[in-house]
Amino acid sequence: MPVLSSKKPYRVGRSRTGLGLFATKPIKKGAKIVRYFGPLLDSRKKKDDAIENKYLFELNNRWTIDGSVRKNIARYINHACKPNAESDVSARKRKVVIRAIKNIEPGEEINYDYGTDYFKAYLKPIGCKCAACEKKRKKQRAEARAEKARLKARAEKKALKKAEKVAAKAVKKLEHKLNGAKANGKLLNGHGGKAAMGKVAAAKAGVSARPRSKQPREISASA
Ligand SMILES: [Zn+2]
């Protein structure tokens, strides 16, 4: 049977950005979790200074830990803007320890803040994927959606108002035309004017729709 239990309170597992380090046991606030270690690079040595990777931990102007070695489990710890651990740096001892700054529950991912230099160089260009930043983005997306819906509703209301205005104008125009026709019909009283208006007036009067007719017999016949 494989030995599953370990004295270590963490394991490497899948995180949202690939791999990460997760607590397997409760870790008390202030407790040392794991050491960040690797060969010490001396910036005064050309060969050391030429080394470039994502796991360089700068202790001071001169010394840097190259944490890219496989044995350095701490290299799996992802960055977070609101972390539950921190990197405790002793430049004098050239030693870095990852320490809990909150009580960490089993299953929780262990994170620490990589610092502004790393953030600017590696995380800002691709967008930080930490829980706090994801939450912020989610909120921003929801706000953008709500704003879009608000604008759409406003545009629809405006369009409806415009349509109502156009319809009201058309109705008014029609009413005006009809009133004009009535007036014309009364005034003209079968003595001409526009044929349609004459028709309206004539229909109302119950006479032939031929106001231009000069034959009274025909009018009386149809009446
Ligand atoms: Zn973040």
Side-chain angles (χ1 to χ4, degrees):
M1 233 179 106
V3 181
L4 288 172
S5 64
S6 158
K7 267 165 75 182
K8 283 158 188 149
Y10 52 77
R11 64 171 179 87
V12 176
R14 287 236 151 264
S15 83
R16 71 183 89 209
T17 51
L19 292 174
L21 204 69
F22 293 81
T24 51
K25 290 171 187 173
I27 302 170
K28 277 243 154 68
K29 179 181 172 178
K32 172 193 161 183
I33 302 169
V34 64
R35 193 176 153 192
Y36 192 102
F37 73 94
L40 270 175
L41 305 180
D42 184 350
S43 65
R44 291 180 193 173
K45 288 183 186 162
K46 245 188 170 174
K47 189 177 69 117
D48 282 7
D49 206 36
I51 291 172
E52 191 61 69
N53 66 59
K54 274 169 82 173
Y55 302 99
L56 299 181
F57 200 117
E58 211 177 276
L59 295 170
N60 54 31
N61 287 340
R62 185 168 178 192
W63 298 105
T64 295
I65 296 171
D66 180 3
S68 64
V69 290
R70 278 184 74 88
K71 272 189 169 177
N72 178 30
I73 297 300
R75 79 186 201 278
Y76 288 108
I77 302 175
N78 289 309
H79 161 88
C81 294
K82 283 181 183 168
N84 51 17
E86 66 176 3
S87 54
D88 195 348
V89 184
S90 169
R92 197 174 49 84
K93 290 187 200 161
R94 294 169 202 168
K95 203 174 153 185
V96 175
V97 159
I98 307 304
R99 199 179 290 281
I101 54 170
K102 289 177 185 169
N103 288 328
I104 303 172
E105 298 302 320
E108 250 184 82
E109 185 172 357
I110 297 159
N111 297 110
Y112 68 91
D113 189 344
Y114 284 9
T116 37
D117 288 347
Y118 186 98
F119 191 89
K120 276 181 192 161
Y122 295 104
L123 297 171
K124 214 175 171 190
I126 55 163
C128 181
K129 303 278 196 306
C130 87
C133 287
E134 288 282 16
K135 202 174 158 189
K136 206 160 114 190
R137 264 196 295 276
K138 209 173 162 185
K139 200 179 157 199
Q140 281 169 346
R141 277 198 297 269
E143 277 170 0
R145 267 200 304 276
E147 177 64 15
K148 214 174 156 186
R150 251 201 310 277
L151 287 174
K152 200 183 165 195
R154 199 188 290 166
E156 279 171 355
K157 209 172 162 187
K158 212 173 164 184
L160 190 72
K161 240 179 184 167
K162 201 179 169 186
E164 278 173 358
K165 226 174 178 176
V166 167
K169 221 173 175 179
V171 166
K172 219 171 181 180
K173 213 171 169 183
L174 201 67
E175 272 174 5
H176 187 74
K177 224 173 179 176
L178 281 169
N179 285 338
K182 275 181 200 165
N184 275 344
K186 272 177 197 160
L187 279 171
L188 294 169
N189 207 13
H191 292 296
K194 284 176 189 167
M197 289 175 180
K199 261 181 204 168
V200 172
K204 249 203 156 154
V207 297
S208 160
R210 286 174 67 191
R212 269 177 189 276
S213 172
K214 280 172 184 170
Q215 290 171 312
R217 226 186 280 164
E218 219 182 272
I219 293 168
S220 57
S222 68

